[in-house]
Amino acid sequence: QVQLVESGGGLVQAGGSLRLSCAASGSIFSINTMGWYRQAPGKQRELVARITSFGSTDYADSVKGRFTISRHNAKNTVYLQMNSLKPEDTANYYCNLLEGSTGSGYWGQGTQVTVSS
Protein backbone atom coordinates (compact mmCIF):
# COMPACT_ATOMS: atom_id res chain seq x y z
CA GLN A 1 0.00 0.00 0.00
CA VAL A 2 1.10 3.55 -0.73
CA GLN A 3 0.49 6.58 1.46
CA LEU A 4 0.76 10.17 0.27
CA VAL A 5 1.08 13.10 2.65
CA GLU A 6 0.78 16.65 1.35
CA SER A 7 1.95 19.84 3.01
CA GLY A 8 2.46 23.49 2.17
CA GLY A 9 -1.02 24.81 1.55
CA GLY A 10 -2.34 27.99 3.08
CA LEU A 11 -3.66 31.48 2.52
CA VAL A 12 -1.81 33.88 0.25
CA GLN A 13 -2.57 37.15 -1.50
CA ALA A 14 -2.90 37.33 -5.27
CA GLY A 15 0.52 37.52 -6.87
CA GLY A 16 2.12 35.56 -4.06
CA SER A 17 3.77 32.15 -4.01
CA LEU A 18 3.37 28.82 -2.28
CA ARG A 19 5.24 25.55 -2.47
CA LEU A 20 3.42 22.26 -2.01
CA SER A 21 5.17 19.02 -1.08
CA CYS A 22 3.96 15.45 -1.22
CA ALA A 23 5.87 12.58 0.32
CA ALA A 24 5.05 9.02 -0.71
CA SER A 25 5.74 6.01 1.49
CA GLY A 26 5.08 2.28 1.31
CA SER A 27 5.64 -0.15 -1.54
CA ILE A 28 6.45 2.17 -4.40
CA PHE A 29 7.46 0.92 -7.80
CA SER A 30 10.31 2.99 -9.15
CA ILE A 31 8.56 3.77 -12.44
CA ASN A 32 5.60 6.00 -11.73
CA THR A 33 3.99 9.33 -12.37
CA MET A 34 3.36 11.77 -9.56
CA GLY A 35 1.13 14.74 -9.96
CA TRP A 36 -1.07 17.42 -8.50
CA TYR A 37 -4.77 17.80 -9.08
CA ARG A 38 -7.13 20.41 -7.66
CA GLN A 39 -10.79 20.67 -6.94
CA ALA A 40 -12.68 23.87 -6.27
CA PRO A 41 -16.15 23.87 -4.69
CA GLY A 42 -18.77 22.81 -7.20
CA LYS A 43 -16.19 21.86 -9.82
CA GLN A 44 -14.63 18.64 -11.02
CA ARG A 45 -11.16 17.60 -9.99
CA GLU A 46 -8.67 18.68 -12.64
CA LEU A 47 -5.05 18.01 -13.45
CA VAL A 48 -2.64 20.78 -12.50
CA ALA A 49 0.70 19.17 -13.32
CA ARG A 50 2.37 15.77 -13.38
CA ILE A 51 5.87 14.42 -13.72
CA THR A 52 7.14 10.96 -14.57
CA SER A 53 10.00 9.22 -12.82
CA PHE A 54 12.04 10.07 -15.93
CA GLY A 55 11.33 13.78 -15.49
CA SER A 56 8.80 14.38 -18.24
CA THR A 57 6.24 17.00 -17.26
CA ASP A 58 2.75 17.98 -18.26
CA TYR A 59 0.86 21.13 -17.18
CA ALA A 60 -2.65 22.46 -17.41
CA ASP A 61 -2.80 25.45 -19.74
CA SER A 62 -4.08 27.64 -16.90
CA VAL A 63 -0.88 27.22 -14.87
CA LYS A 64 1.81 27.11 -17.57
CA GLY A 65 4.51 29.66 -16.90
CA ARG A 66 3.42 30.13 -13.28
CA PHE A 67 3.70 26.66 -11.69
CA THR A 68 6.66 24.30 -11.72
CA ILE A 69 6.52 20.64 -10.77
CA SER A 70 9.63 18.73 -9.68
CA ARG A 71 10.47 15.56 -7.84
CA HIS A 72 13.17 13.91 -5.79
CA ASN A 73 13.10 10.24 -6.74
CA ALA A 74 15.27 9.03 -3.86
CA LYS A 75 12.90 10.70 -1.39
CA ASN A 76 9.73 9.73 -3.29
CA THR A 77 8.68 13.34 -3.02
CA VAL A 78 7.03 15.67 -5.50
CA TYR A 79 6.88 19.45 -5.27
CA LEU A 80 4.72 22.12 -6.83
CA GLN A 81 6.11 25.64 -6.86
CA MET A 82 3.23 28.04 -7.44
CA ASN A 83 4.05 31.63 -8.39
CA SER A 84 1.89 34.55 -9.46
CA LEU A 85 -1.08 32.98 -7.76
CA LYS A 86 -4.56 34.11 -8.75
CA PRO A 87 -7.88 33.88 -6.88
CA GLU A 88 -8.99 31.28 -9.41
CA ASP A 89 -6.20 29.00 -8.17
CA THR A 90 -8.12 28.61 -4.92
CA ALA A 91 -8.91 24.92 -4.44
CA ASN A 92 -8.09 21.81 -2.51
CA TYR A 93 -4.91 20.39 -4.02
CA TYR A 94 -4.45 16.62 -4.12
CA CYS A 95 -1.30 14.64 -4.69
CA ASN A 96 -1.54 11.57 -6.92
CA LEU A 97 0.77 8.67 -7.64
CA LEU A 98 0.16 6.40 -10.62
CA GLU A 99 2.21 3.22 -10.74
CA GLY A 100 3.70 2.37 -14.10
CA SER A 101 3.64 -1.38 -13.57
CA THR A 102 0.09 -1.96 -12.35
CA GLY A 103 -1.74 1.25 -13.23
CA SER A 104 -2.80 1.56 -9.59
CA GLY A 105 -3.49 5.09 -8.44
CA TYR A 106 -3.24 6.61 -4.99
CA TRP A 107 -4.41 9.94 -3.56
CA GLY A 108 -3.35 12.11 -0.70
CA GLN A 109 -5.81 13.72 1.69
CA GLY A 110 -5.54 17.14 0.08
CA THR A 111 -4.23 20.52 1.15
CA GLN A 112 -6.18 23.75 0.86
CA VAL A 113 -4.82 26.67 -1.12
CA THR A 114 -6.69 29.96 -0.81
CA VAL A 115 -5.70 33.02 -2.83
CA SER A 116 -7.25 36.31 -1.77
CA SER A 117 -7.75 39.18 -4.16
Side-chain angles (χ1 to χ4, degrees):
Q1 190 72 327
V2 174
Q3 296 81 41
L4 302 174
V5 178
E6 302 110 331
S7 60
L11 173 64
V12 64
Q13 287 188 332
S17 298
L18 282 174
R19 188 190 193 212
L20 305 183
S21 299
C22 172
S25 61
S27 300
I28 302 168
F29 188 66
S30 60
I31 298 176
N32 57 67
T33 297
M34 296 187 76
W36 291 94
Y37 290 72
R38 66 187 181 187
Q39 188 168 18
K43 294 187 177 181
Q44 289 189 327
R45 191 173 296 189
E46 62 177 1
L47 172 69
V48 177
R50 58 191 171 195
I51 182 168
T52 71
S53 48
F54 301 106
S56 297
T57 59
D58 188 21
Y59 293 91
D61 287 342
S62 59
V63 306
K64 284 181 180 177
R66 299 188 297 122
F67 292 10
T68 303
I69 191 169
S70 60
R71 63 186 290 167
H72 193 304
N73 287 338
K75 295 182 179 180
N76 290 316
T77 300
V78 65
Y79 308 96
L80 185 68
Q81 178 66 43
M82 305 185 293
N83 298 328
S84 302
L85 282 160
K86 303 176 181 180
E88 50 263 45
D89 294 318
T90 295
N92 207 354
Y93 283 69
Y94 296 90
C95 179
N96 174 267
L97 185 148
L98 181 65
E99 288 189 332
S101 59
T102 65
S104 298
Y106 303 91
W107 293 95
Q109 80 284 356
T111 185
Q112 179 67 34
V113 171
T114 302
V115 184
S116 63
S117 58

